[in-house]
Structures are given as structure tokens and as C-alpha cells.
Amino acid sequence: MGTNYRSLEDLPLTLTVEEAGQILRVGRNTAYDLVRCGKLPSVRVGKQIRIPRQALLDYLSRQK
């Protein structure tokens, strides 16, 4: 995908599951598993799954 963000503030309001996985440095399947089991909240826009930026930040803060 090749998207590089310099800081968390640079993240778009929503991310694809693949983008969220890159930020978390996990594989595509692991990122989809996090969404599927509800650990990483997501929203559906038509057939697409999007991860809200705040949901990703909240997930990261819970992992401490």
C-alpha cells in the first residue's frame, strides 16, 4: 500500500483494514481477525469496512 504517516494526527478519519494493519504492524489476516472478533471496532460503508481513527487509537491505548 505504501501509505506513510508521520504522526497519529496525520491519519485520515477512517482507515481501511489493511491500513490499520500496517499501522499496527500486523498481517492482513490478523487485522481482519481483530475486526471480526470485535477487538477493533469498525463501520461498514456499503461493502467496505472502515476503521475510525479514534477506534484505532482507543485500541492502542487499551493494549498497555
Side-chain angles (χ1 to χ4, degrees):
M1 191 149 289
T3 305
N4 293 317
Y5 302 107
R6 293 182 177 198
S7 70
L8 295 174
E9 292 79 29
D10 290 341
L11 294 175
L13 286 176
T14 62
L15 300 111
T16 65
V17 177
E18 289 86 357
E19 289 171 330
Q22 287 178 343
I23 291 165
L24 295 172
R25 297 184 65 112
V26 298
R28 180 179 184 269
N29 290 340
T30 301
Y32 275 100
D33 286 343
L34 289 171
V35 168
R36 193 174 304 113
C37 72
K39 290 183 180 178
L40 186 56
S42 64
V43 294
R44 257 194 199 275
V45 181
K47 293 183 178 182
Q48 300 178 3
I49 299 172
R50 292 291 182 258
I51 310 298
R53 173 178 54 201
Q54 192 59 51
L56 180 64
L57 297 176
D58 292 345
Y59 174 79
L60 289 171
S61 69
R62 288 191 308 265
Q63 301 309 307
K64 293 182 180 179

